[in-house]
Amino acid sequence: MVKQFCLLFVGLCLATHTHAQAWKDSVEVFREKYKKAFLEEANSPLKADDLQYLQFFEPDSSYQVVGNFSKISDGTIFKFPTSNGKIKEYVKYGEVSFEIHGKALKLNIYRSLALMQIPKYRDYLFIPMKDQTSGKETYGAGRYLDASIKDIKEGKIALDFNKLYNPYCAFSEGYSCPIPPKENHLPVRIEVGEKLFLKEKSNNH
């Protein structure tokens, strides 16, 4: 009986380790795709030689959460101020409530009116945010997290803050990047995702 228990315990440990490794691998795959996109996007602020200056926190599964999603259906247009003074129009799609390290938090989720007109991006959800690392270890104007309407299931949505990334404005001047509203300023440190760009910001855009 003891032998059977030990074998079961070992099996559970192995399964947990395998799952954790698979998740960590998925974060690395995301980062590689993120870097590759800079080389494929015509409007990119970075070239191949710049990729070495990207840096990230170590992956941490405790920043992978499942939150309660509440849809906002009034369709009010939210005018986002941007880094270069232009205005971009979004609608507030909903709110997500969740916990990180025992702290209750909430973020607004938006949809871009422009992207809603493009079939490929019709389900795209935009989560701009700042936290207590902003302006220190991470870009001062905040970071972004992407999601999809398809990620919402039975009033829940999974978010992985390990996939937080910098707006183009973190790398070069001249881009029009939405500024996270005060409602999306988290009073905690989110010590995962992309960190500060290690190279001086360019002005060649």
Side-chain angles (χ1 to χ4, degrees):
M1 184 71 174
V2 173
K3 184 178 180 181
Q4 287 180 334
F5 174 79
C6 289
L7 288 173
L8 177 61
F9 178 75
V10 171
L12 287 172
C13 286
L14 287 173
T16 301
H17 174 75
T18 301
H19 175 75
Q21 187 59 48
W23 168 79
K24 192 170 183 179
D25 289 346
S26 74
V27 174
E28 293 302 326
V29 168
F30 170 82
R31 290 178 180 176
E32 288 306 311
K33 287 182 177 178
Y34 172 72
K35 293 175 184 177
K36 186 179 178 182
F38 284 112
L39 307 181
E40 297 174 343
E41 171 60 51
N43 197 38
S44 173
L46 302 182
K47 296 180 171 60
D49 288 346
D50 298 319
L51 300 186
Q52 62 184 306
Y53 300 105
L54 298 175
Q55 59 170 348
F56 305 86
F57 287 101
E58 283 295 313
D60 185 341
S61 60
S62 67
Y63 290 92
Q64 189 182 32
V65 303
V66 176
N68 294 312
F69 176 77
S70 301
K71 187 174 181 181
I72 305 298
S73 57
D74 63 5
T76 301
I77 295 176
F78 186 92
K79 295 183 180 295
F80 262 102
T82 68
S83 53
N84 67 355
K86 293 181 180 179
I87 298 295
K88 291 191 174 182
E89 294 186 334
Y90 287 74
V91 292
K92 182 178 174 182
Y93 188 70
E95 298 175 344
V96 57
S97 302
F98 55 96
E99 285 190 6
I100 288 181
H101 299 163
K103 179 81 171 178
L105 302 167
K106 184 170 72 172
L107 285 168
N108 292 341
I109 299 178
Y110 301 91
R111 292 180 78 191
S112 163
L113 289 182
L115 292 182
M116 285 168 62
Q117 311 307 315
I118 304 171
K120 182 181 177 181
Y121 298 107
R122 191 164 290 154
D123 292 333
Y124 171 71
L125 299 177
F126 178 56
I127 309 173
M129 54 163 281
K130 291 181 71 171
D131 66 271
Q132 295 297 302
T133 70
S134 301
K136 300 167 187 173
E137 296 94 332
T138 65
Y139 182 53
R143 295 178 288 171
Y144 300 161
L145 188 64
D146 295 341
S148 170
I149 292 174
K150 294 174 182 175
D151 295 332
I152 302 168
K153 296 180 174 63
E154 299 179 350
K156 305 282 187 180
I157 183 169
L159 300 176
D160 189 348
F161 291 94
N162 289 272
K163 296 178 179 179
L164 279 168
Y165 63 93
N166 289 336
Y168 274 8
C169 300
F171 311 114
S172 179
E173 303 290 353
Y175 289 93
S176 181
C177 306
I179 298 171
K182 284 188 176 181
E183 292 80 7
N184 278 20
H185 292 192
L186 297 182
V188 296
R189 289 174 58 83
I190 304 298
E191 298 176 319
V192 286
E194 189 165 10
K195 300 170 79 173
L196 285 169
F197 187 51
L198 289 175
K199 187 178 179 183
E200 186 176 349
K201 190 185 292 191
S202 69
N203 295 286
N204 57 6
H205 175 62

